[in-house]
Amino acid sequence: MEQEQEQEQEQGEVLEDDVVDLAGAVRELSTDNWPTGYVYGATRYADVILRESFSDRARDLEKALDNFAPTLDELRSGGGGRTVFVKRFDDSLEAMTAEGGQRIWGKQNITISKSIALDGTTLRTTRTRGHEIDMFGRGTLDAPIPGIAVEMEWNNKDPFYDRDLINFQALHHEGAIAVGVIITRGPGLQALIGPTVRSKDGGFKYGQSTTHWDKLIPKVNLGGGGECPLLLIGIEPERIQGVQLAVRTKDALEKAEEFKSNWRKSYSRWKDAKPVHDQMVSEARDLMPPVNEEKNANSDED
């Protein structure tokens, strides 16, 4: 049984409720009624902590997730800099305020200072600066820490996950955050747009080496994030407006591949079948050609 559980972790699978918990492993949520159109996972009961101990911040996050609906055109045209719909998500959190209108969410630089003293005299001070948290939600106005850290990793190289997880681990260890949240492309969305959305140079915009669910889960299951409770959220196709075009494109590409696998049923030579296959691929690609990428003036990473 233990060997099977280890194999599941190596494959990046989310453990189900009837599997004995492994410390820090990604499990299905213990709470219900989260916004639809996402896949969820949690470590160390992060969803319970968020709902029970930080209910206001949980409601803020759920509202932002409910309202998040990027378009397929935005996915296709997003270029360098900060993607417009990622910024829109962050802005929706930042617009949420506490009673009285006080600001409760926003970018935050968190600095941890440590000192060594003898008989009350400080002899050495070291300062460790955590990277800027994209969205930090204060616990309360009176007691801002521990708070909630939220990072959306839409389309970066997957080492950005390591940065976030290391930072969450350090900040949780020092009591600065109670829960770390990472939002990224879900497995269904990656399977859909990975082979269909292309950049203007003809390559694929959302490659396997970039940030998506199946890259994140193994990192966490191998200990990423340490003892920090993590809520992991994968964006799925249901959240994307106009996604039907990508579905049609993928279906057409799959028909071309099916023809290639069975070409001998209709042709005796691949030389004769290849032009038909190439035409099918070309027609599929023409359904969703590359578009000009829009660069945002904000150069922050997504």
Side-chain angles (χ1 to χ4, degrees):
M1 182 64 177
E2 290 181 355
Q3 184 177 2
E4 292 177 357
Q5 292 172 359
E6 291 173 357
Q7 290 174 347
E8 284 185 338
Q9 283 188 289
E10 291 173 356
Q11 295 168 1
E13 296 183 2
V14 176
L15 299 182
E16 298 179 355
D17 287 339
D18 58 352
V19 177
V20 176
D21 194 11
L22 301 176
V26 181
R27 297 179 57 88
E28 294 181 344
L29 300 192
S30 299
T31 54
D32 299 320
N33 299 319
W34 288 83
T36 59
Y38 301 93
V39 60
Y40 295 91
T43 69
R44 304 179 188 278
Y45 302 99
D47 57 315
V48 177
I49 295 170
L50 191 56
R51 280 267 182 89
E52 297 296 327
S53 299
F54 300 87
S55 57
D56 289 341
R57 302 295 76 77
R59 282 192 291 270
D60 294 343
L61 179 61
E62 290 173 48
K63 183 177 179 180
L65 291 170
D66 259 331
N67 293 333
F68 183 67
T71 68
L72 182 62
D73 285 345
E74 289 175 333
L75 269 62
R76 295 171 65 194
S77 63
R82 191 157 186 76
T83 306
V84 292
F85 52 86
V86 174
K87 183 178 185 302
R88 193 162 62 235
F89 176 84
D90 289 350
D91 288 347
S92 71
L93 272 179
E94 192 166 7
M96 298 177 193
T97 57
E99 292 184 9
Q102 295 97 329
R103 183 170 176 263
I104 202 80
W105 286 92
K107 279 186 177 291
Q108 187 69 56
N109 285 316
I110 300 178
T111 302
I112 300 169
S113 297
K114 295 184 178 182
S115 61
I116 300 174
L118 292 179
D119 295 329
T121 301
T122 299
L123 301 179
R124 180 185 301 171
T125 299
T126 59
R127 181 171 295 232
T128 304
R129 176 183 179 275
H131 85 276
E132 187 175 55
I133 299 294
D134 282 347
M135 280 291 114
F136 177 82
R138 297 168 180 260
T140 65
L141 287 175
D142 294 333
I145 59 173
I148 308 300
V150 179
E151 297 278 2
M152 181 177 286
E153 297 294 359
W154 171 252
N155 192 33
N156 282 313
K157 296 299 183 183
D158 69 11
F160 275 77
Y161 285 145
D162 299 318
R163 178 201 67 176
D164 293 338
L165 293 170
I166 290 170
N167 197 52
F168 286 173
Q169 179 178 356
L171 294 175
H172 178 264
H173 179 74
E174 299 297 339
I177 65 172
V179 173
V181 181
I182 296 180
I183 306 169
T184 193
R185 302 195 307 272
L189 183 59
Q190 174 61 21
L192 177 60
I193 65 176
T196 58
V197 177
R198 290 177 293 155
S199 57
K200 61 182 180 181
D201 62 4
F204 295 104
K205 289 180 65 70
Y206 300 108
Q208 288 298 320
S209 64
T210 58
T211 47
H212 61 91
W213 185 262
D214 290 338
K215 288 290 186 179
L216 174 60
I217 301 305
K219 288 179 180 291
V220 176
N221 280 340
L222 287 173
E227 295 185 357
C228 178
L230 301 171
L231 176 61
L232 310 176
I233 303 172
I235 304 162
E236 291 290 65
E238 294 86 342
R239 302 306 309 182
I240 311 302
Q241 299 181 64
V243 76
Q244 295 80 7
L245 177 58
V247 173
R248 292 199 301 272
T249 301
K250 187 181 180 187
D251 287 345
L253 289 170
E254 289 177 345
K255 288 179 180 178
E257 285 305 300
E258 182 179 359
F259 172 83
K260 185 177 181 180
S261 299
N262 299 288
W263 65 269
R264 288 185 177 84
K265 292 181 179 180
S266 303
Y267 296 87
S268 58
R269 299 185 305 172
W270 171 243
K271 179 180 178 180
D272 298 326
K274 186 176 184 300
V276 178
H277 171 262
D278 292 348
Q279 180 64 25
M280 294 176 71
V281 172
S282 178
E283 290 176 355
R285 296 289 186 211
D286 287 344
L287 291 173
M288 204 163 70
V291 298
N292 290 330
E293 296 179 351
E294 297 178 358
K295 293 184 180 291
N296 191 284
N298 188 333
S299 61
D300 291 347
E301 297 288 350
D302 298 338

